[in-house]
Amino acid sequence: MNTKIVQKRIPCLDLKDQHQKIKKEMFEAFEKVYENTAFSGGPFVEEFEKNFAHFCKTKYAIGVNNGTSALHLAMLALGIGKGDEVIVPANTFIATAWGVSYTGAMPVFVDCTPNTWQIDPLKIEEKITSNTRAIVGVHLYGQPFDVEAVQSICKKYGLFLIEDAAQAQGAQYKQQTVGGFGEMACFSFYPGKNIGACGEAGGITTNNENYQKHLNSLRSHGSVSRYYHDELGFNMRMGGLEAASLSVKLKYLSIWNSRRREIALRYQKEIRNEQITLQFQPDWMDSVYHLFVITSKNRERLIKYLNENNIYPGLHYPIPCHLQKAYEHLGYKEGDCPQAEYLAMHCLSLPMFAELSDVEVDYVIDVLNEY
Ligand SMILES: Cc1ncc(COP(=O)(O)O)c(C=O)c1O
């Protein structure tokens, strides 16, 4: 065991150090928004949109109030609604499915693979019906799903592809940054994300000008020209303070993602314990490790042991989407998505954030290896 015993509690995520380091810059950015009274939409949102589109190598980015709205609006921009079905992985955060349900369409849940824990392309086709309109692929935990396999299914059946990149800002699939593989990609800038606003925020990237224009209108009361409302719209604009905070953080995102990769590499190389299974990393992708998820047969025992050693892992996620109470009416039962169900019962998320020190990483590895 590492002799430099870590006294302080090591959580799954801690935002304090990061925000202390950039506090001065952040407060200067807030002051500018304040002086301009540009609190809703406006120049600070436009600046972030331009920079984030550049970061994702897409033509457009549209800032909205959170990632759930991004998914909702993406569905609406595709004309998805009542009577339609949209394929969604069973192993994801529930908001992926909310975006579909809000439109009146039905999410159809597909199991994940046994080793990457991402949507299983081999299980998609059996779920496609004449009502299927789109597939939402989720770059879950920051690791890209098998984009080409899903793209080819979309092509074969004439379906739209939407990326849920809420957890994957800067991740790459075959050296291409996520965000431009489908019609649209949806991002969350919730505070805990790899780039998170000081507040709630989200965004959509696209290379299609028509979608960009439509999304601009939908997020702002269905209006292109003020007080003229062409369709039922929403108030889902991004705030100026949130946008300014994101512009500050975007400058550091690649550095923070590299540090996450460094920590992940150490976990992958140095955790040696037969009771712990790591996520498989295909060589065609480069994860940004929003989460570092592992599985263990007796999860509760492992959590207790980690807690006794001052380590507090997270659970992402304890119930797969198809078995959530909110979707009881869809009639799924245990056994419908066995891999996602196994994962929900056995997963836990190790500490993962850029500010973890090498001593803390050493300590987490040592504690796990002694389990
Ligand atoms: C995979 C995924 N999709 C969608 C969302 C929704 O984003 P938000 O919390 O910003 O609404 C999240 C955020 O937690 C997420 O992790």
Side-chain angles (χ1 to χ4, degrees):
M1 171 78 75
N2 193 318
T3 46
K4 292 175 274 184
I5 294 293
V6 175
Q7 298 293 346
K8 86 175 197 220
R9 179 189 163 98
I10 308 181
C12 179
L13 170 68
D14 190 340
L15 296 176
K16 285 197 194 77
D17 280 359
Q18 181 190 86
H19 287 88
Q20 282 307 319
K21 281 183 192 152
I22 57 174
K23 186 170 168 182
K24 190 166 169 287
E25 220 180 323
M26 203 53 108
F27 277 51
E28 283 165 11
F30 290 156
E31 197 171 354
K32 281 192 197 146
V33 179
Y34 199 87
E35 294 301 333
N36 280 278
T37 60
F39 299 119
S40 176
F44 296 95
V45 174
E46 282 163 25
E47 188 192 336
F48 175 67
E49 289 174 337
K50 196 171 107 236
N51 293 336
F52 193 66
H54 180 76
F55 178 83
C56 295
K57 300 189 175 56
T58 55
K59 282 196 186 147
Y60 309 103
I62 300 94
V64 292
N65 58 344
N66 58 57
T68 310
S69 299
L71 286 153
H72 181 188
L73 294 188
M75 295 296 149
L76 291 175
L78 293 172
I80 287 170
K82 203 163 187 288
D84 294 332
E85 293 173 14
V86 176
I87 305 271
V88 171
N91 178 37
T92 182
F93 179 60
I94 195 72
T96 311
W98 289 159
V100 176
S101 299
Y102 292 162
T103 69
M106 183 171 78
V108 175
F109 296 107
V110 167
D111 206 0
C112 56
T113 78
N115 59 1
T116 65
W117 307 334
Q118 308 288 6
I119 191 164
D120 189 342
L122 298 175
K123 303 221 175 102
I124 293 178
E125 286 189 71
E126 66 201 54
K127 296 287 179 83
I128 293 174
T129 71
S130 56
N131 295 325
T132 309
R133 300 281 312 284
I135 301 175
V136 186
V138 183
H139 304 302
L140 198 67
Y141 319 141
Q143 173 164 321
F145 63 89
D146 190 348
V147 173
E148 281 175 7
V150 178
Q151 276 174 331
S152 70
I153 296 170
C154 286
K155 202 164 164 210
K156 183 170 166 190
Y157 293 91
L159 307 175
F160 296 122
L161 172 62
I162 295 120
E163 292 168 79
D164 180 340
Q167 303 187 356
Q169 301 91 347
Q172 293 198 325
Y173 174 83
K174 297 196 174 171
Q175 271 96 52
Q176 191 182 324
T177 306
V178 302
F181 289 114
E183 305 298 320
M184 283 168 260
C186 301
F187 291 86
S188 165
F189 304 119
Y190 177 77
K193 295 295 193 266
N194 288 31
I195 172 173
C198 295
E200 298 272 355
I204 303 157
T205 53
T206 183
N207 288 311
N208 182 318
E209 192 184 353
N210 291 333
Y211 292 144
Q212 186 248 3
K213 286 190 172 147
H214 196 182
L215 291 164
N216 268 337
S217 158
L218 283 169
R219 74 172 167 179
S220 194
H221 298 292
S223 156
V224 178
S225 181
R226 205 166 195 191
Y227 302 130
Y228 290 81
H229 306 280
D230 304 333
E231 62 180 322
L232 185 68
F234 301 82
N235 180 357
M236 292 180 173
R237 289 178 295 253
M238 183 185 271
L241 288 164
E242 285 80 0
S245 69
L246 289 167
S247 288
V248 169
K249 287 193 181 181
L250 191 57
K251 288 186 271 177
Y252 299 100
L253 180 57
S254 297
I255 300 170
W256 291 336
N257 281 345
S258 298
R259 174 64 184 153
R260 284 174 183 269
R261 287 187 178 116
E262 210 171 83
I263 297 166
L265 199 66
R266 292 210 45 210
Y267 283 159
Q268 285 153 2
K269 279 195 170 149
E270 296 174 41
I271 295 173
R272 291 277 166 265
N273 188 322
E274 280 179 359
Q275 299 188 65
I276 290 167
T277 304
L278 306 184
Q279 187 184 16
F280 177 66
Q281 313 283 306
D283 57 11
W284 38 253
M285 63 88 216
D286 200 1
S287 174
V288 287
Y289 300 100
H290 173 57
L291 300 169
F292 196 94
V293 176
I294 61 169
T295 63
S296 188
K297 281 217 169 72
N298 191 340
R299 175 174 66 190
E300 304 323 314
R301 191 164 73 101
L302 178 55
I303 291 176
K304 187 165 174 286
Y305 166 79
L306 288 171
N307 291 171
E308 280 162 7
N309 285 283
N310 250 346
I311 299 168
Y312 291 83
L315 280 191
H316 303 90
Y317 297 93
I319 303 181
C321 294
H322 66 292
L323 298 180
Q324 292 285 355
K325 196 156 182 276
Y327 283 126
E328 216 170 44
H329 61 284
L330 297 180
Y332 289 90
K333 55 185 187 324
E334 266 178 49
D336 284 342
C337 297
Q339 301 300 340
E341 289 161 28
Y342 178 88
L343 204 56
M345 283 174 69
H346 299 92
C347 69
L348 61 92
S349 309
L350 297 185
M352 175 53 81
F353 48 99
E355 294 71 28
L356 272 176
S357 70
D358 286 341
V359 172
E360 288 169 328
V361 177
D362 287 346
Y363 178 72
V364 173
I365 292 168
D366 287 348
V367 168
L368 284 168
N369 286 345
E370 295 224 342
Y371 172 62

